[in-house]
Amino acid sequence: MPTFRLAPLEDEHVPALRETMRDEEVLLFTRTPHPMPDGWLERWLSTFDGGRRVIFAILDEDDVFSGYAVSGPVDREGLEVELGYAVSPWARGHGAATQTLVALTHWAFAEGMQRVTALISVDNPASSRVAEKAGYSFEGVLRNVHHVDGRRGDLQSWSILPGELPAS
């Protein structure tokens, strides 16, 4: 099985990031507009300041861009953060999502977080399996909270606390 790692997102990753964000499956489960307006990606990327919100490139063992991983706003007072990821179509089915969520969770705990969450569409069972494999606990369903392209949907709430992350 290939190995994947997180790395700082660099300008050289942006074309593959844009391609990943235009993928049908990514569009189903993210708030990426379709079609993507000019300048939207640059404005979105500017919201990741490396402190309050972070973004990473997912790279395979040959340093090929394989997706992206993000944090929601990092609550440094409450020590909580929501994590998310999207895997490029060419990297799916090789463990990239699980390896990414585990690595991102390690990052969050290294930042001192005491509660880490993942909110996953009820229509995305593959991502739910990833959260479970990464050691997250299912908490329940948040009804009608996710909105994409004028549609609203339900999200599963998954969480993990320090000490619950399985050994790598």
Side-chain angles (χ1 to χ4, degrees), residues 129-141:
R129 285 190 301 276
V130 166
E132 186 173 30
K133 283 193 246 176
Y136 281 63
S137 296
F138 176 70
E139 296 181 314
V141 174

Side-chain angles (χ1 to χ4, degrees), residues 22 31 42 46 61 71 76 94-96 105 118 153 163:
R22 288 179 173 156
R31 292 183 175 161
E42 293 73 17
S46 74
E61 51 211 5
S71 78
R76 300 226 181 251
H94 302 287
T105 304

Side-chain angles (χ1 to χ4, degrees), residues 27-145:
L27 289 169
L28 278 175
F29 303 117
T30 66
R31 292 183 175 161
T32 304
H34 181 68
M36 189 184 294
D38 289 342
W40 181 88
L41 181 57
E42 293 73 17
R43 286 189 300 279
W44 182 76
L45 286 171
S46 74
T47 68
F48 297 95
D49 61 6
R52 180 144 166 78
R53 293 187 74 205
V54 299
I55 185 168
F56 296 98
I58 303 168
L59 302 178
D60 72 8
E61 51 211 5
D62 296 320
D63 288 334
V64 173
F65 182 89
S66 301
Y68 62 96
V70 298
S71 78
V74 178
D75 179 350
R76 300 226 181 251
E77 186 176 312
L79 302 176
E80 297 180 41
V81 67
E82 177 192 344
L83 304 178
Y85 54 86
V87 175
S88 304
W90 53 89
R92 291 185 191 135
H94 302 287
T98 302
Q99 290 178 48
T100 295
L101 185 57
V102 168
L104 198 56
T105 304
H106 277 292
W107 167 85
F109 289 146
E111 291 290 309
M113 298 300 108
Q114 296 297 302
R115 176 178 164 78
V116 178
T117 59
L119 300 178
I120 300 170
S121 171
V122 297
D123 297 323
N124 191 351
S127 199
S128 297
R129 285 190 301 276
V130 166
E132 186 173 30
K133 283 193 246 176
Y136 281 63
S137 296
F138 176 70
E139 296 181 314
V141 174
L142 305 171
R143 300 176 344 160
N144 208 29
V145 298

Side-chain angles (χ1 to χ4, degrees), residues 142-164:
L142 305 171
R143 300 176 344 160
N144 208 29
V145 298
H146 191 60
H147 46 91
V148 177
D149 287 336
R151 299 179 326 271
R152 296 192 69 93
D154 299 344
L155 294 177
Q156 294 179 342
S157 177
W158 292 80
S159 71
I160 192 166
L161 307 176
E164 295 178 345

